[in-house]
Amino acid sequence: MSSIVVVGAGIIGTTIAYELQRRGKAVTLLDKAAPGRGASYGNMASIAVTEFMPASRPGIWAQMPKWLLDPEGPVRIRPGYLPKLVPWFLRFLAASRPSKLRELEAAGAALCRRVYEDLDALLKETGLGHMLTAEGCLSLYTDDAEFKADREHMEILERFGFRHEILGGNAIQDLEPVLTTKIGKAVLFPDNRSITDPYRLVFALSERFGRLGGRIVQGDVVDFEQADAGVSALRLADGRTVVADKVVLAAGAFTARLSALLREHIPLETERGYHTQIMEPGISMRHSIIWPARAFMVTPTAGGIRVGGTVEMAGLDAPPDYRRAKILVKRAQEALPDLKVRQATEWMGHRPALPDTVPVMGPSAKRRNVWYATGHGHLGLTYAATTGRLMADLITGVEPPVDMKPYRVDRF
């Protein structure tokens, strides 16, 4: 039986490995860390089906100068890293053309429309349905001016038919009594549900993968052995090799380093994200909340309340700057005045960011037996089940239910 090696044991790689193993393939899941210990460990636990729109849209460009000049703003670029970002930003700018934006919105919406069809099936067959909550997400606005600033988002959702409900006054407090009364308007996204613990979801899925006969190997890939325009084995830092007939590179923000070894450039950056996990918050929440003007999110997950958000561009190797996490908590307390910060831990992780906000999913353009699944940005958890389905279809020769051209690796 041919062997498939999936590199990357986050939610994307683990889901792909599980789906391939479920279809009767012999799969090895390979990562330098244990399953779920990378970006999947600390994401905001949201199935964010309304957040597929490109980051390069005009509303974001209009606010970018103000954000970059604000040391506590939602986007921070470390000055020493700026020269390395120039090629990525040029592609980001190219993705802001009106005609291009429409293509990118459609590509994201096509995936989000499938999310629950694929996620519900995955959770049912693995017995993990209890990990998906029933509650949605509330987007908060102090006044009409803040709401109008986010109107572009609503218009995109209306165009593609994603559910949302505008609320005001007492209706907001009725849904989430712990919110400040300074919130004048909110939008309920009922389909932006949450996972009770995103790390435990990856870990549980890796266990199911193992029970089906899947193999989990811990090791750091440093090179590939190549033959006949393909990859025959992966070399690990400790000298071991892992033989492969097919290879799936799904290592999140680190995938570009692996593709470079194959001389296949992917314009992949890391949007470093921070969170604070508060285990004794002093409040109880039903919904997750997001406040666009303050650029933070709060989700009840992992046995407590998680506060996260913002983007820091500083590459893969710079040490964390946990001031970013503290800023987010301060802003969360504006929305949740009774929120206490007791028994709290801070975390930083690497979101894999492509300049057009649409993931890469599909075969290599240079190696016959290599596939990529990366660049899911803030939507790794959201897209995971759908990515697993689509990638397994491609790799096993089944026609996917989605046109995969928008996600090809050589589109840049």
Side-chain angles (χ1 to χ4, degrees):
M1 182 184 294
S2 63
S3 61
I4 303 174
V5 176
V6 178
V7 182
I11 186 61
I12 295 294
T14 302
T15 305
I16 293 169
Y18 170 82
E19 182 63 26
L20 287 167
Q21 189 72 32
R22 188 183 70 83
R23 297 188 188 194
K25 304 302 177 182
V27 184
T28 297
L29 182 60
L30 173 62
D31 199 307
K32 60 186 175 182
R37 301 302 299 190
S40 296
Y41 181 84
N43 66 47
M44 289 306 296
S46 178
I47 307 301
V49 296
T50 64
E51 304 305 308
F52 58 85
M53 50 286 303
S56 55
R57 63 191 189 275
I60 298 296
W61 275 110
Q63 299 181 76
M64 194 73 75
K66 177 184 69 175
W67 288 347
L68 293 177
L69 290 171
D70 182 358
E72 296 190 0
V75 178
R76 183 68 175 161
I77 300 175
R78 293 201 189 180
Y81 196 69
L82 185 57
K84 296 182 180 179
L85 280 173
V86 170
W88 190 92
F89 269 120
L90 290 175
R91 288 188 171 96
F92 184 81
L93 179 61
S96 67
R97 302 189 311 273
S99 60
K100 187 64 176 175
L101 284 173
R102 294 295 179 265
E103 291 178 18
L104 300 174
E105 290 165 5
L111 297 179
C112 281
R113 284 196 185 104
R114 287 199 56 83
V115 161
Y116 281 108
E117 179 179 348
D118 298 317
L119 180 61
D120 287 344
L122 176 69
L123 295 178
K124 181 179 180 180
E125 70 195 25
T126 55
L128 299 173
H130 62 282
M131 299 194 76
L132 179 64
T133 69
E135 307 294 352
C137 176
L138 284 167
S139 186
L140 310 179
Y141 309 92
T142 305
D143 50 30
D144 285 338
E146 280 191 8
F147 179 73
K148 288 177 181 176
D150 202 33
R151 184 60 197 168
E152 180 186 25
H153 182 187
M154 303 304 154
E155 289 171 352
I156 294 170
L157 296 181
E158 288 162 5
R159 190 182 329 133
F160 287 101
F162 286 88
R163 294 198 299 163
H164 58 289
E165 180 184 354
I166 300 172
L167 306 171
N170 293 336
I172 302 170
Q173 293 293 315
D174 290 344
L175 280 180
E176 206 58 70
V178 293
L179 283 172
T180 175
T181 56
K182 295 178 182 178
I183 300 300
K185 188 168 287 188
V187 176
L188 173 64
F189 301 123
D191 297 323
N192 284 17
R193 297 155 69 185
S194 300
I195 296 296
T196 56
D197 190 324
Y199 163 66
R200 292 196 178 278
L201 175 62
V202 181
F203 182 78
L205 195 56
S206 72
E207 283 191 321
R208 270 80 174 161
F209 165 73
R211 289 176 197 165
L212 291 175
R215 177 181 173 223
I216 298 175
V217 173
Q218 201 163 323
D220 190 8
V221 178
V222 295
D223 207 352
F224 298 95
E225 294 180 5
Q226 301 180 53
D228 300 325
V231 168
S232 56
L234 299 87
R235 297 179 191 164
L236 307 185
D238 60 8
R240 289 177 295 161
T241 61
V242 179
V243 175
D245 296 302
K246 298 177 182 178
V247 177
V248 183
L249 298 181
F254 295 87
T255 307
R257 289 183 173 178
L258 298 173
S259 72
L261 297 173
L262 299 172
R263 292 178 170 76
E264 190 157 27
H265 176 68
I266 301 175
L268 189 66
E269 268 297 336
T270 169
E271 292 182 359
R272 296 149 57 102
Y274 292 83
H275 88 216
T276 299
Q277 179 72 27
I278 306 170
M279 301 307 290
E280 294 183 8
I283 61 171
S284 177
M285 298 173 62
R286 290 172 51 205
H287 302 78
S288 60
I289 62 168
I290 187 168
W291 194 341
R294 304 290 197 274
F296 72 84
M297 184 174 189
V298 182
T299 307
T301 191
I305 283 177
R306 182 169 294 177
V307 181
T310 80
V311 167
E312 181 187 44
M313 308 294 280
L316 292 168
D317 301 316
D321 178 0
Y322 286 115
R323 290 176 297 179
R324 306 290 296 169
K326 292 175 175 61
I327 291 166
L328 294 168
V329 170
K330 181 174 67 174
R331 291 183 176 171
Q333 288 175 317
E334 294 180 44
L336 303 162
D338 294 327
L339 175 63
K340 304 295 188 296
V341 186
R342 297 186 298 238
Q343 197 181 332
T345 55
E346 296 172 334
W347 174 91
M348 187 276 288
H350 295 281
R351 307 183 192 102
L354 289 162
D356 62 4
T357 322
V358 172
V360 162
M361 298 185 292
S364 164
K366 295 192 174 184
R367 300 292 181 271
R368 60 169 177 76
N369 62 343
V370 174
W371 282 263
Y372 293 103
T374 189
H376 294 73
H378 298 248
L379 298 177
L381 182 61
T382 303
Y383 286 155
T386 295
T387 298
R389 159 76 187 276
L390 297 175
M391 291 298 297
D393 283 349
L394 288 171
I395 293 164
T396 60
V398 175
E399 184 70 24
V402 172
D403 178 7
M404 298 301 291
K405 290 179 184 176
Y407 318 107
R408 65 191 187 278
V409 69
D410 59 349
R411 68 179 186 262
F412 298 100

